[in-house]
Amino acid sequence: MSPDDFTERFAGLRVPIAKFLYRRVEVKDVDDLSAEVFEIAWRKGGVVTVGEELPWLYRVATNLVANHRRKNARAQNLLAAIVAPDTSPSAESIAVADIALAEAWGRLPATSRQILALTALDGLSVAETAVALDITANAVSVRLN
């Protein structure tokens, strides 16, 4: 297809395609997707039946929008997978995940659960646990035994 043929068949369709894209993607993506639509039209425009250019461009744009959305969804999923969560599960929720452990955990007095959670699951030292619970380090050590 010559540049003149392309211009004659597709140049007046830029605005309808841009409007089509504006309704389907973020404004910042419209120019890039529109350019991609017309790049495909440049490469494959010779196979388009005369008079069916706009519907054909809408089909191309629809496919590009679907690909764009899938790409963005994959990027979001990847980002969510690699970004550390803002909060971590509580020490108790980790322990409760195993039923046998959960039953044993439930039989412990509340203070013992707190001490075990802070030392074994959260990694605090005996002294740090004592400060966190406002008890003596000796009391923490005794309860750990």
Side-chain angles (χ1 to χ4, degrees):
M1 171 178 285
S2 74
D4 291 337
D5 290 341
F6 179 81
T7 301
E8 183 180 317
R9 291 182 68 190
F10 292 101
L13 303 177
R14 187 185 59 80
V15 172
I17 293 301
K19 286 180 180 179
F20 178 87
L21 292 169
Y22 272 114
R23 291 188 300 270
R24 288 163 176 79
V25 298
E26 292 182 40
V27 173
K28 67 181 181 63
D29 298 319
V30 170
D31 288 339
D32 289 340
L33 288 172
S34 183
E36 198 169 344
V37 167
F38 285 98
E39 177 192 351
I40 293 169
W42 173 257
R43 286 187 284 124
K44 298 184 177 186
V47 301
V48 180
T49 304
V50 174
E52 294 182 359
E53 291 87 355
L54 187 58
W56 184 83
L57 289 174
Y58 282 151
R59 185 170 8 135
V60 170
T62 298
N63 292 336
L64 288 175
V65 167
N67 290 340
H68 176 75
R69 287 179 179 163
R70 278 191 292 276
K71 178 179 144 194
N72 284 347
R74 276 194 305 269
Q76 290 297 326
N77 291 339
L78 178 61
L79 183 62
I82 62 174
V83 171
D86 291 338
T87 60
S88 59
S90 70
E92 286 183 303
S93 67
I94 294 170
V96 172
D98 182 285
I99 294 174
L101 184 57
E103 290 172 355
W105 187 263
R107 289 192 298 270
L108 290 173
T111 307
S112 296
R113 282 196 304 263
Q114 287 178 318
I115 291 171
L116 257 174
L118 290 171
T119 56
L121 300 174
D122 293 323
L124 295 182
S125 68
V126 169
E128 292 168 328
T129 301
V131 171
L133 297 177
D134 196 28
I135 58 176
T136 65
N138 189 42
V140 172
S141 293
V142 168
R143 289 185 181 149
L144 278 174
N145 271 336

